[in-house]
Amino acid sequence: MSYVTGDEPAASGCFLCDAAGEADPERLLVVERAERTVTLLNRFPYSSGHVMVAPRRHSDDLAGLSAEEGVALLAATARAISAISEVMQPGGFNVGFNLGRAAGASVDHLHLHVVPRWGGDTNFMPVLADVKVLPEHLEVTARRLREALAGQAG
Ligand SMILES: [Zn+2]
């Protein structure tokens, strides 16, 4: 359980570049690698099914994304939302960027957070307090989302 024992350092120095690369998708909780994007479960989730969608190219500059990357990012986000909806039936989603360290970005590689929400889950803290039970759940959730995404045109 890498979460409990401490994560291995990212091979490339950026865990999103690792996820976008060819390394083991299961260990990295990758649920989809598309031509221009990678989608993976957040190891420190705000809620069950919390994924991050990133361009495969390392950049922290939203304005510097190409039009193709922007479209691909939004399309991958829509696919993730469809897959999470199919697998987990949330009541809604929060979707957004944290741009810059002051805004909570933990890595200098752009990514969108997709956070499924259920009625009554308004406080993140009970979810975070329960995080120690999540490693197996994360792998099961990743597998289910990977299967749901594989069923969509990518
Ligand atoms: Zn990166």
PDB file of all heavy atoms in Angstrom, residues 3 26 29 31 41-45 47-50 131 133-146:
ATOM      1  N   TYR A   3       0.264   4.269  -0.397  1.00  0.00           N
ATOM      2  CA  TYR A   3      -0.203   5.466   0.302  1.00  0.00           C
ATOM      3  C   TYR A   3       0.228   5.410   1.763  1.00  0.00           C
ATOM      4  O   TYR A   3       0.660   6.402   2.337  1.00  0.00           O
ATOM      5  CB  TYR A   3      -1.723   5.599   0.200  1.00  0.00           C
ATOM      6  CG  TYR A   3      -2.214   6.808   0.940  1.00  0.00           C
ATOM      7  CD1 TYR A   3      -2.047   8.069   0.410  1.00  0.00           C
ATOM      8  CD2 TYR A   3      -2.789   6.677   2.194  1.00  0.00           C
ATOM      9  CE1 TYR A   3      -2.449   9.180   1.103  1.00  0.00           C
ATOM     10  CE2 TYR A   3      -3.201   7.778   2.901  1.00  0.00           C
ATOM     11  CZ  TYR A   3      -3.033   9.035   2.347  1.00  0.00           C
ATOM     12  OH  TYR A   3      -3.424  10.130   3.031  1.00  0.00           O
ATOM     13  N   GLU A  26      -1.672   0.864 -13.733  1.00  0.00           N
ATOM     14  CA  GLU A  26      -2.428   0.454 -12.544  1.00  0.00           C
ATOM     15  C   GLU A  26      -1.812   1.023 -11.280  1.00  0.00           C
ATOM     16  O   GLU A  26      -2.514   1.522 -10.399  1.00  0.00           O
ATOM     17  CB  GLU A  26      -2.528  -1.071 -12.476  1.00  0.00           C
ATOM     18  CG  GLU A  26      -3.340  -1.593 -13.637  1.00  0.00           C
ATOM     19  CD  GLU A  26      -3.688  -3.055 -13.536  1.00  0.00           C
ATOM     20  OE1 GLU A  26      -3.455  -3.645 -12.461  1.00  0.00           O
ATOM     21  OE2 GLU A  26      -4.169  -3.597 -14.527  1.00  0.00           O
ATOM     22  N   LEU A  29      -2.708   4.535 -10.945  1.00  0.00           N
ATOM     23  CA  LEU A  29      -4.151   4.806 -10.885  1.00  0.00           C
ATOM     24  C   LEU A  29      -4.647   5.545 -12.131  1.00  0.00           C
ATOM     25  O   LEU A  29      -5.592   6.331 -12.063  1.00  0.00           O
ATOM     26  CB  LEU A  29      -4.520   5.586  -9.616  1.00  0.00           C
ATOM     27  CG  LEU A  29      -4.197   4.892  -8.288  1.00  0.00           C
ATOM     28  CD1 LEU A  29      -4.497   5.831  -7.107  1.00  0.00           C
ATOM     29  CD2 LEU A  29      -4.973   3.591  -8.125  1.00  0.00           C
ATOM     30  N   VAL A  31      -6.683   5.959 -15.356  1.00  0.00           N
ATOM     31  CA  VAL A  31      -7.923   5.362 -15.852  1.00  0.00           C
ATOM     32  C   VAL A  31      -8.068   5.534 -17.367  1.00  0.00           C
ATOM     33  O   VAL A  31      -8.812   4.794 -18.006  1.00  0.00           O
ATOM     34  CB  VAL A  31      -9.171   5.889 -15.108  1.00  0.00           C
ATOM     35  CG1 VAL A  31      -9.081   5.519 -13.627  1.00  0.00           C
ATOM     36  CG2 VAL A  31      -9.351   7.383 -15.258  1.00  0.00           C
ATOM     37  N   LEU A  41      -6.972   8.682 -11.101  1.00  0.00           N
ATOM     38  CA  LEU A  41      -7.602   8.928  -9.813  1.00  0.00           C
ATOM     39  C   LEU A  41      -6.663   9.740  -8.948  1.00  0.00           C
ATOM     40  O   LEU A  41      -5.447   9.522  -8.962  1.00  0.00           O
ATOM     41  CB  LEU A  41      -7.886   7.608  -9.096  1.00  0.00           C
ATOM     42  CG  LEU A  41      -9.183   6.877  -9.387  1.00  0.00           C
ATOM     43  CD1 LEU A  41      -9.292   5.698  -8.427  1.00  0.00           C
ATOM     44  CD2 LEU A  41     -10.407   7.753  -9.280  1.00  0.00           C
ATOM     45  N   ASN A  42      -7.235  10.633  -8.182  1.00  0.00           N
ATOM     46  CA  ASN A  42      -6.454  11.390  -7.216  1.00  0.00           C
ATOM     47  C   ASN A  42      -6.176  10.491  -6.017  1.00  0.00           C
ATOM     48  O   ASN A  42      -7.082   9.900  -5.448  1.00  0.00           O
ATOM     49  CB  ASN A  42      -7.246  12.630  -6.775  1.00  0.00           C
ATOM     50  CG  ASN A  42      -6.390  13.632  -6.038  1.00  0.00           C
ATOM     51  OD1 ASN A  42      -5.516  13.249  -5.267  1.00  0.00           O
ATOM     52  ND2 ASN A  42      -6.630  14.895  -6.275  1.00  0.00           N
ATOM     53  N   ARG A  43      -4.901  10.385  -5.651  1.00  0.00           N
ATOM     54  CA  ARG A  43      -4.492   9.556  -4.527  1.00  0.00           C
ATOM     55  C   ARG A  43      -4.919  10.173  -3.187  1.00  0.00           C
ATOM     56  O   ARG A  43      -4.911   9.505  -2.161  1.00  0.00           O
ATOM     57  CB  ARG A  43      -2.959   9.416  -4.578  1.00  0.00           C
ATOM     58  CG  ARG A  43      -2.416   8.122  -4.089  1.00  0.00           C
ATOM     59  CD  ARG A  43      -0.940   8.006  -4.409  1.00  0.00           C
ATOM     60  NE  ARG A  43      -0.709   7.361  -5.700  1.00  0.00           N
ATOM     61  CZ  ARG A  43      -0.836   6.052  -5.906  1.00  0.00           C
ATOM     62  NH1 ARG A  43      -1.180   5.253  -4.931  1.00  0.00           N
ATOM     63  NH2 ARG A  43      -0.619   5.538  -7.099  1.00  0.00           N
ATOM     64  N   PHE A  44      -5.246  11.451  -3.212  1.00  0.00           N
ATOM     65  CA  PHE A  44      -5.679  12.153  -1.997  1.00  0.00           C
ATOM     66  C   PHE A  44      -7.056  12.758  -2.271  1.00  0.00           C
ATOM     67  O   PHE A  44      -7.204  13.970  -2.389  1.00  0.00           O
ATOM     68  CB  PHE A  44      -4.661  13.236  -1.614  1.00  0.00           C
ATOM     69  CG  PHE A  44      -3.251  12.704  -1.533  1.00  0.00           C
ATOM     70  CD1 PHE A  44      -2.369  12.863  -2.593  1.00  0.00           C
ATOM     71  CD2 PHE A  44      -2.837  12.001  -0.408  1.00  0.00           C
ATOM     72  CE1 PHE A  44      -1.075  12.354  -2.519  1.00  0.00           C
ATOM     73  CE2 PHE A  44      -1.546  11.487  -0.330  1.00  0.00           C
ATOM     74  CZ  PHE A  44      -0.659  11.660  -1.385  1.00  0.00           C
ATOM     75  N   PRO A  45      -8.044  11.907  -2.426  1.00  0.00           N
ATOM     76  CA  PRO A  45      -9.332  12.371  -2.978  1.00  0.00           C
ATOM     77  C   PRO A  45     -10.154  13.211  -2.007  1.00  0.00           C
ATOM     78  O   PRO A  45     -10.124  13.007  -0.805  1.00  0.00           O
ATOM     79  CB  PRO A  45     -10.061  11.052  -3.268  1.00  0.00           C
ATOM     80  CG  PRO A  45      -9.485  10.075  -2.307  1.00  0.00           C
ATOM     81  CD  PRO A  45      -8.043  10.472  -2.147  1.00  0.00           C
ATOM     82  N   SER A  47     -13.358  13.181  -2.684  1.00  0.00           N
ATOM     83  CA  SER A  47     -14.498  12.280  -2.596  1.00  0.00           C
ATOM     84  C   SER A  47     -14.152  11.061  -3.421  1.00  0.00           C
ATOM     85  O   SER A  47     -13.200  11.072  -4.207  1.00  0.00           O
ATOM     86  CB  SER A  47     -15.778  12.943  -3.128  1.00  0.00           C
ATOM     87  OG  SER A  47     -15.741  13.033  -4.539  1.00  0.00           O
ATOM     88  N   SER A  48     -14.898  10.014  -3.236  1.00  0.00           N
ATOM     89  CA  SER A  48     -14.702   8.795  -3.999  1.00  0.00           C
ATOM     90  C   SER A  48     -14.873   9.101  -5.487  1.00  0.00           C
ATOM     91  O   SER A  48     -15.814   9.802  -5.864  1.00  0.00           O
ATOM     92  CB  SER A  48     -15.765   7.797  -3.522  1.00  0.00           C
ATOM     93  OG  SER A  48     -15.427   6.515  -3.865  1.00  0.00           O
ATOM     94  N   GLY A  49     -13.957   8.631  -6.316  1.00  0.00           N
ATOM     95  CA  GLY A  49     -14.073   8.881  -7.751  1.00  0.00           C
ATOM     96  C   GLY A  49     -13.460  10.189  -8.210  1.00  0.00           C
ATOM     97  O   GLY A  49     -13.595  10.566  -9.377  1.00  0.00           O
ATOM     98  N   HIS A  50     -12.762  10.883  -7.319  1.00  0.00           N
ATOM     99  CA  HIS A  50     -12.105  12.155  -7.666  1.00  0.00           C
ATOM    100  C   HIS A  50     -10.960  11.882  -8.649  1.00  0.00           C
ATOM    101  O   HIS A  50     -10.019  11.182  -8.319  1.00  0.00           O
ATOM    102  CB  HIS A  50     -11.588  12.771  -6.362  1.00  0.00           C
ATOM    103  CG  HIS A  50     -10.799  14.033  -6.510  1.00  0.00           C
ATOM    104  ND1 HIS A  50     -10.286  14.685  -5.413  1.00  0.00           N
ATOM    105  CD2 HIS A  50     -10.418  14.760  -7.592  1.00  0.00           C
ATOM    106  CE1 HIS A  50      -9.628  15.762  -5.811  1.00  0.00           C
ATOM    107  NE2 HIS A  50      -9.686  15.830  -7.133  1.00  0.00           N
ATOM    108  N   VAL A 131      -9.270   8.606   4.982  1.00  0.00           N
ATOM    109  CA  VAL A 131      -8.445   8.311   3.821  1.00  0.00           C
ATOM    110  C   VAL A 131      -7.630   7.029   3.986  1.00  0.00           C
ATOM    111  O   VAL A 131      -7.309   6.366   3.018  1.00  0.00           O
ATOM    112  CB  VAL A 131      -7.544   9.523   3.486  1.00  0.00           C
ATOM    113  CG1 VAL A 131      -6.357   9.627   4.429  1.00  0.00           C
ATOM    114  CG2 VAL A 131      -7.085   9.498   2.048  1.00  0.00           C
ATOM    115  N   VAL A 133      -8.513   4.177   4.763  1.00  0.00           N
ATOM    116  CA  VAL A 133      -9.196   2.957   4.295  1.00  0.00           C
ATOM    117  C   VAL A 133      -9.253   2.919   2.767  1.00  0.00           C
ATOM    118  O   VAL A 133      -9.773   1.979   2.196  1.00  0.00           O
ATOM    119  CB  VAL A 133     -10.630   2.830   4.851  1.00  0.00           C
ATOM    120  CG1 VAL A 133     -10.605   2.869   6.371  1.00  0.00           C
ATOM    121  CG2 VAL A 133     -11.559   3.869   4.272  1.00  0.00           C
ATOM    122  N   LEU A 134      -8.698   3.930   2.107  1.00  0.00           N
ATOM    123  CA  LEU A 134      -8.953   4.070   0.674  1.00  0.00           C
ATOM    124  C   LEU A 134      -8.048   3.316  -0.291  1.00  0.00           C
ATOM    125  O   LEU A 134      -8.462   3.122  -1.424  1.00  0.00           O
ATOM    126  CB  LEU A 134      -8.946   5.549   0.285  1.00  0.00           C
ATOM    127  CG  LEU A 134     -10.241   6.287   0.645  1.00  0.00           C
ATOM    128  CD1 LEU A 134     -10.054   7.785   0.418  1.00  0.00           C
ATOM    129  CD2 LEU A 134     -11.406   5.786  -0.168  1.00  0.00           C
ATOM    130  N   PRO A 135      -6.834   2.886   0.049  1.00  0.00           N
ATOM    131  CA  PRO A 135      -5.981   2.350  -1.016  1.00  0.00           C
ATOM    132  C   PRO A 135      -6.610   1.245  -1.862  1.00  0.00           C
ATOM    133  O   PRO A 135      -6.584   1.324  -3.089  1.00  0.00           O
ATOM    134  CB  PRO A 135      -4.737   1.847  -0.264  1.00  0.00           C
ATOM    135  CG  PRO A 135      -4.645   2.768   0.902  1.00  0.00           C
ATOM    136  CD  PRO A 135      -6.080   3.016   1.315  1.00  0.00           C
ATOM    137  N   GLU A 136      -7.206   0.254  -1.231  1.00  0.00           N
ATOM    138  CA  GLU A 136      -7.825  -0.807  -2.051  1.00  0.00           C
ATOM    139  C   GLU A 136      -9.000  -0.239  -2.827  1.00  0.00           C
ATOM    140  O   GLU A 136      -9.242  -0.612  -3.966  1.00  0.00           O
ATOM    141  CB  GLU A 136      -8.328  -1.970  -1.197  1.00  0.00           C
ATOM    142  CG  GLU A 136      -7.242  -2.698  -0.449  1.00  0.00           C
ATOM    143  CD  GLU A 136      -7.198  -2.292   1.008  1.00  0.00           C
ATOM    144  OE1 GLU A 136      -7.607  -1.146   1.330  1.00  0.00           O
ATOM    145  OE2 GLU A 136      -6.752  -3.111   1.822  1.00  0.00           O
ATOM    146  N   HIS A 137      -9.743   0.636  -2.173  1.00  0.00           N
ATOM    147  CA  HIS A 137     -10.884   1.240  -2.846  1.00  0.00           C
ATOM    148  C   HIS A 137     -10.432   1.993  -4.091  1.00  0.00           C
ATOM    149  O   HIS A 137     -11.102   1.959  -5.116  1.00  0.00           O
ATOM    150  CB  HIS A 137     -11.613   2.211  -1.915  1.00  0.00           C
ATOM    151  CG  HIS A 137     -12.245   1.544  -0.733  1.00  0.00           C
ATOM    152  ND1 HIS A 137     -13.081   2.199   0.124  1.00  0.00           N
ATOM    153  CD2 HIS A 137     -12.156   0.289  -0.280  1.00  0.00           C
ATOM    154  CE1 HIS A 137     -13.488   1.361   1.070  1.00  0.00           C
ATOM    155  NE2 HIS A 137     -12.928   0.188   0.848  1.00  0.00           N
ATOM    156  N   LEU A 138      -9.298   2.676  -3.991  1.00  0.00           N
ATOM    157  CA  LEU A 138      -8.794   3.428  -5.136  1.00  0.00           C
ATOM    158  C   LEU A 138      -8.512   2.502  -6.309  1.00  0.00           C
ATOM    159  O   LEU A 138      -8.835   2.805  -7.449  1.00  0.00           O
ATOM    160  CB  LEU A 138      -7.511   4.180  -4.761  1.00  0.00           C
ATOM    161  CG  LEU A 138      -7.687   5.432  -3.896  1.00  0.00           C
ATOM    162  CD1 LEU A 138      -6.335   5.939  -3.432  1.00  0.00           C
ATOM    163  CD2 LEU A 138      -8.438   6.515  -4.658  1.00  0.00           C
ATOM    164  N   GLU A 139      -7.905   1.351  -6.020  1.00  0.00           N
ATOM    165  CA  GLU A 139      -7.576   0.427  -7.118  1.00  0.00           C
ATOM    166  C   GLU A 139      -8.829  -0.167  -7.737  1.00  0.00           C
ATOM    167  O   GLU A 139      -8.926  -0.330  -8.957  1.00  0.00           O
ATOM    168  CB  GLU A 139      -6.627  -0.660  -6.612  1.00  0.00           C
ATOM    169  CG  GLU A 139      -5.247  -0.067  -6.345  1.00  0.00           C
ATOM    170  CD  GLU A 139      -4.303  -1.025  -5.653  1.00  0.00           C
ATOM    171  OE1 GLU A 139      -4.625  -2.222  -5.584  1.00  0.00           O
ATOM    172  OE2 GLU A 139      -3.244  -0.558  -5.191  1.00  0.00           O
ATOM    173  N   VAL A 140      -9.804  -0.482  -6.893  1.00  0.00           N
ATOM    174  CA  VAL A 140     -11.069  -1.022  -7.409  1.00  0.00           C
ATOM    175  C   VAL A 140     -11.774   0.044  -8.241  1.00  0.00           C
ATOM    176  O   VAL A 140     -12.252  -0.224  -9.349  1.00  0.00           O
ATOM    177  CB  VAL A 140     -11.971  -1.495  -6.240  1.00  0.00           C
ATOM    178  CG1 VAL A 140     -13.368  -1.837  -6.739  1.00  0.00           C
ATOM    179  CG2 VAL A 140     -11.340  -2.692  -5.543  1.00  0.00           C
ATOM    180  N   THR A 141     -11.822   1.257  -7.714  1.00  0.00           N
ATOM    181  CA  THR A 141     -12.475   2.349  -8.439  1.00  0.00           C
ATOM    182  C   THR A 141     -11.760   2.604  -9.763  1.00  0.00           C
ATOM    183  O   THR A 141     -12.405   2.792 -10.801  1.00  0.00           O
ATOM    184  CB  THR A 141     -12.473   3.633  -7.583  1.00  0.00           C
ATOM    185  OG1 THR A 141     -13.138   3.350  -6.354  1.00  0.00           O
ATOM    186  CG2 THR A 141     -13.191   4.762  -8.287  1.00  0.00           C
ATOM    187  N   ALA A 142     -10.417   2.602  -9.736  1.00  0.00           N
ATOM    188  CA  ALA A 142      -9.653   2.839 -10.969  1.00  0.00           C
ATOM    189  C   ALA A 142      -9.988   1.773 -12.010  1.00  0.00           C
ATOM    190  O   ALA A 142     -10.178   2.089 -13.186  1.00  0.00           O
ATOM    191  CB  ALA A 142      -8.156   2.840 -10.672  1.00  0.00           C
ATOM    192  N   ARG A 143     -10.070   0.539 -11.579  1.00  0.00           N
ATOM    193  CA  ARG A 143     -10.367  -0.532 -12.543  1.00  0.00           C
ATOM    194  C   ARG A 143     -11.760  -0.353 -13.133  1.00  0.00           C
ATOM    195  O   ARG A 143     -11.961  -0.496 -14.339  1.00  0.00           O
ATOM    196  CB  ARG A 143     -10.239  -1.904 -11.870  1.00  0.00           C
ATOM    197  CG  ARG A 143     -10.351  -3.062 -12.861  1.00  0.00           C
ATOM    198  CD  ARG A 143     -10.025  -4.400 -12.235  1.00  0.00           C
ATOM    199  NE  ARG A 143     -11.034  -4.784 -11.273  1.00  0.00           N
ATOM    200  CZ  ARG A 143     -10.821  -4.935  -9.959  1.00  0.00           C
ATOM    201  NH1 ARG A 143      -9.627  -4.740  -9.454  1.00  0.00           N
ATOM    202  NH2 ARG A 143     -11.805  -5.288  -9.157  1.00  0.00           N
ATOM    203  N   ARG A 144     -12.723  -0.003 -12.308  1.00  0.00           N
ATOM    204  CA  ARG A 144     -14.098   0.161 -12.803  1.00  0.00           C
ATOM    205  C   ARG A 144     -14.182   1.341 -13.772  1.00  0.00           C
ATOM    206  O   ARG A 144     -14.867   1.272 -14.799  1.00  0.00           O
ATOM    207  CB  ARG A 144     -15.058   0.346 -11.632  1.00  0.00           C
ATOM    208  CG  ARG A 144     -15.168  -0.923 -10.785  1.00  0.00           C
ATOM    209  CD  ARG A 144     -15.944  -0.673  -9.509  1.00  0.00           C
ATOM    210  NE  ARG A 144     -17.365  -0.479  -9.787  1.00  0.00           N
ATOM    211  CZ  ARG A 144     -18.225   0.068  -8.916  1.00  0.00           C
ATOM    212  NH1 ARG A 144     -17.800   0.493  -7.751  1.00  0.00           N
ATOM    213  NH2 ARG A 144     -19.487   0.200  -9.238  1.00  0.00           N
ATOM    214  N   LEU A 145     -13.487   2.421 -13.455  1.00  0.00           N
ATOM    215  CA  LEU A 145     -13.526   3.581 -14.355  1.00  0.00           C
ATOM    216  C   LEU A 145     -12.795   3.283 -15.659  1.00  0.00           C
ATOM    217  O   LEU A 145     -13.217   3.704 -16.740  1.00  0.00           O
ATOM    218  CB  LEU A 145     -12.917   4.809 -13.664  1.00  0.00           C
ATOM    219  CG  LEU A 145     -13.724   5.380 -12.496  1.00  0.00           C
ATOM    220  CD1 LEU A 145     -12.992   6.566 -11.887  1.00  0.00           C
ATOM    221  CD2 LEU A 145     -15.123   5.801 -12.941  1.00  0.00           C
ATOM    222  N   ARG A 146     -11.675   2.534 -15.563  1.00  0.00           N
ATOM    223  CA  ARG A 146     -10.919   2.159 -16.762  1.00  0.00           C
ATOM    224  C   ARG A 146     -11.817   1.352 -17.708  1.00  0.00           C
ATOM    225  O   ARG A 146     -11.834   1.573 -18.916  1.00  0.00           O
ATOM    226  CB  ARG A 146      -9.729   1.300 -16.317  1.00  0.00           C
ATOM    227  CG  ARG A 146      -8.481   1.454 -17.117  1.00  0.00           C
ATOM    228  CD  ARG A 146      -7.339   0.655 -16.470  1.00  0.00           C
ATOM    229  NE  ARG A 146      -6.756   1.363 -15.342  1.00  0.00           N
ATOM    230  CZ  ARG A 146      -6.488   0.816 -14.144  1.00  0.00           C
ATOM    231  NH1 ARG A 146      -6.742  -0.460 -13.902  1.00  0.00           N
ATOM    232  NH2 ARG A 146      -5.961   1.542 -13.196  1.00  0.00           N
TER     233      ARG A 146
END
